[in-house]
Amino acid sequence: MDRNTLLAFALSFLVLSIWMTWEAGNRPPPDTALVTAEATPTPIPTIPTSRPAPGATPTASEFAPPPPLESELIQIETDRFRATLDSRGAGIRHWELSRYTTPSDEGGLPVVLIDRAPDDPVAFASPMMELGLGDLAVAVFRVTERTARSVRFEYASGGLVVGKTYTFQDDSYLFRLALEVQNGTDRTVASGFVISLPDHVRSGTDFKEASLEALVDGEIEKTPINGFGEPGFFSSGSAQQIFTGPVAWAGSGSGYFLTAMVPESPSDAQAQWLKTEPSGSVAVQLGYPPITLPGPSMLSRQYEIYAGPKKPEQLAAAGAQLDRSIDLGWSWIAPLTRGFIWLLSKCYAVIPNYGVAIILLTVLIRLVTAPLASKQMRSMKRLGELQPKIKELQERHKDDRERQSQEMMKLYRESGANPLGGCLPMLLQFPVFIGLYYALQSSFDLRQAPFALWIDDLSRPENLFVLPGFDLPVRLLPLLMGASMVLQQKMTPTTADPAQARMMMTVMPVMFTFLFYQFPSGLVLYWFVSNLLAIAQQFYLNRQKTA
């Protein structure tokens, strides 16, 4: 790509980044009123933001609590995950994936999606404060049924029984949670059947882009966990965001993993994101407007919960449009991104090395776009050859701008050059680059995929070595890419002033080298190989006579 193309990409990235940030920060807040069966506005019950002392018994406002119980931990294990359920809160305290590990320099341990401290509320707890039984998110339930793949918890008090049943599968990351309330009294109670997923800022490559996510009314809502609820230039710093539906699912995820709660009735479901304590902690809640339950009667709600990798086939099998959690770019670019992901897998099938597959994919893309690139390069070459005559016209008519423009247009017509001839090919290549960018960013198969030598993970920046005393990683691919940009610009004809050309020859490579220094090595490899192919194409065209 020539200097103008690179500059256009840089400016486009800047404009798009500013627009996306502004749009996210200025989106009108959703209606925060949740409607009961009697159409009375009632907010969805929230979890408490402070933790009770360990061993504390929830207080009741209407019913006497049952005798205190000792909490019990229950282990569930399949070939896909290992889970620890806790009768305190009747939820999941620990969930790790058996088939996926962290990078070797981060311990090589199983990837953990849920890990709650002993005094923290568990995942998928149901506070149900509206029942008047206290905070059931920290209450100790009885284990009434237990098999190798299912557990039932019950909490009974004052004629009310709250039941929670978890059912797991051997061959899936999807499991079911049935939540029920039995009202054995002559009173009328109400419940929103809310479940909560707490999360927090975590270290590690797999969670560096952790975010709160939800599919609301057909649109993906997403915000980083880090900084949620904090005031900023584009954010009001609100500690709560409510979605009144329809809500297909809500949860938290990162680039490669997702924990999502799916309601049985998306059209009625509502969700909210909350900032909790301590700093950096958040919670995702999913439930319904409070539903009245006269006694004696029983009412239940069911949820499906996915806690696993963001692999398209796994998410598609789980349903509920969970595959929308994979970031494929804007809707108009998503089909192109899917095409590149498919093509990358086909290249990998030929040579089972994703680094080589990226190189093959780059060559194929360059072959397809070669006619457009050649047209752009030839246009730049013609303009470069006309530069002496253009400067002569500018000097001759420097006091008559109108005559200067007329003579320059005449010169362009006679020579067959078009000052805008390189713009259209450049614009047509732009969607290709964006689609490939998202394909390489979102492809789960690139996670921990080695290439060669020291490049052992194409989804992370490569490190050749670290400068002792400075803790500065030396990354060869971005440096080679920057050098290839300098060579490419030297070979590319330009109509710019020599001083400006020298400045751009320094500024652009330095800027892109700095930008790509933090990019995954797979993306840098693509750009480096693409530059080498562009240099070869430019060398060939420079040796030809201008048509």
Side-chain angles (χ1 to χ4, degrees), residues 66-72 74 85-91 126 128 131 133 136 139-146 151-157 159-166 177-182 298:
L69 299 172
E70 290 293 329
S71 61
E72 180 180 355
I74 301 171
L85 284 72
D86 194 341
S87 63
R88 181 178 295 278
S126 304
M128 291 192 166
L131 292 179
L133 302 180
L136 299 190
V140 178
F141 285 64
R142 293 182 182 274
V143 180
T144 58
E145 295 179 21
R146 177 177 175 182
V151 182
R152 177 176 172 81
F153 300 96
E154 285 188 359
Y155 184 91
S157 178
L160 296 179
V161 179
V162 176
K164 299 181 69 173
T165 304
Y166 293 84
L177 168 58
L179 182 60
E180 65 183 45
V181 176
Q182 299 179 34
M298 188 270 286

Side-chain angles (χ1 to χ4, degrees), residues 504-531:
M504 293 303 297
M505 193 176 297
T506 302
V507 172
M508 292 298 293
V510 170
M511 183 183 72
F512 269 75
T513 300
F514 179 79
L515 178 67
F516 275 67
Y517 214 74
Q518 304 299 327
F519 275 17
S521 54
L523 188 62
V524 184
L525 177 64
Y526 156 73
W527 194 278
F528 174 54
V529 174
S530 182
N531 281 353

Side-chain angles (χ1 to χ4, degrees), residues 162-473:
V162 176
K164 299 181 69 173
T165 304
Y166 293 84
T167 306
F168 304 93
Q169 305 176 52
D170 285 317
D171 58 349
S172 176
Y173 297 100
L174 192 71
F175 62 93
R176 177 165 295 182
L177 168 58
L179 182 60
E180 65 183 45
V181 176
Q182 299 179 34
N183 183 5
T185 73
D186 57 358
R187 304 168 184 246
T188 297
V189 297
S191 177
F193 292 86
V194 176
I195 59 175
S196 178
L197 172 64
D199 207 342
H200 58 277
V201 176
R202 286 183 273 180
S203 60
T205 302
D206 288 319
F207 300 100
K208 64 180 181 180
E209 297 177 358
S211 59
L212 302 172
E213 303 181 22
L215 181 59
V216 182
D217 199 17
E219 299 293 333
I220 288 289
E221 301 286 345
K222 188 174 181 179
T223 189
I225 292 178
N226 185 18
F228 176 73
E230 300 290 340
F233 186 77
F234 293 104
S235 173
S236 63
S238 174
Q240 180 183 41
Q241 187 168 353
I242 299 177
F243 303 100
T244 57
V247 179
W249 54 265
S252 64
S254 59
Y256 297 114
F257 298 97
L258 174 70
T259 304
M261 304 174 290
V262 181
E264 64 176 338
S265 179
S267 60
D268 301 323
Q270 302 176 4
Q272 60 185 345
W273 298 337
L274 297 170
K275 180 182 178 181
T276 59
E277 295 296 337
S279 178
S281 297
V282 295
V284 182
Q285 290 195 326
L286 183 65
Y288 300 89
I291 303 170
T292 57
L293 182 63
S297 62
M298 188 270 286
L299 186 63
S300 66
R301 290 286 192 177
Q302 295 194 32
Y303 297 91
E304 289 189 321
I305 299 169
Y306 179 89
K310 280 188 176 180
K311 299 192 73 171
E313 61 273 18
Q314 296 286 349
L315 296 173
Q321 301 184 71
L322 288 173
D323 55 344
R324 295 280 301 277
S325 65
I326 300 176
D327 189 2
L328 300 178
W330 304 282
S331 57
W332 59 273
I333 209 73
L336 194 59
T337 302
R338 292 190 184 95
F340 285 137
I341 293 176
W342 176 84
L343 192 56
L344 182 64
S345 67
K346 296 303 178 183
C347 292
Y348 179 79
V350 175
I351 301 179
N353 181 301
Y354 273 105
V356 177
I358 289 174
I359 294 174
L360 291 177
L361 180 61
T362 308
V363 172
L364 291 175
I365 292 174
R366 268 291 169 181
L367 288 175
V368 172
T369 59
L372 292 174
S374 295
K375 184 175 181 180
Q376 181 183 359
M377 290 176 180
R378 287 194 176 98
S379 177
M380 294 298 297
K381 185 179 180 182
R382 290 193 187 98
L383 291 175
E385 292 171 346
L386 290 177
Q387 193 62 20
K389 294 182 179 180
I390 292 174
K391 288 185 177 180
E392 181 182 344
L393 288 175
Q394 290 173 340
E395 284 294 326
R396 185 185 306 168
H397 305 290
K398 60 182 179 180
D399 297 327
D400 190 346
R401 294 291 184 181
E402 183 177 354
R403 179 68 183 276
Q404 182 185 114
S405 299
Q406 292 174 351
E407 292 296 327
M408 288 177 64
M409 293 303 299
K410 180 180 178 182
L411 177 63
Y412 290 145
R413 286 195 301 271
E414 293 175 349
S415 62
N418 184 354
L420 301 179
C423 294
L424 181 60
M426 180 184 67
L427 292 176
L428 292 177
Q429 292 179 68
F430 184 68
V432 174
F433 171 78
I434 295 297
L436 188 59
Y437 169 82
Y438 279 108
L440 295 179
Q441 284 285 84
S442 61
S443 176
F444 189 92
D445 293 329
L446 290 184
R447 179 183 178 270
Q448 298 185 11
F451 174 35
L453 302 175
W454 71 95
I455 305 176
D456 57 359
D457 189 347
L458 289 165
S459 68
R460 297 199 299 168
E462 48 91 3
N463 288 334
L464 182 59
F465 61 89
V466 177
L467 286 177
F470 295 93
D471 197 28
L472 177 66

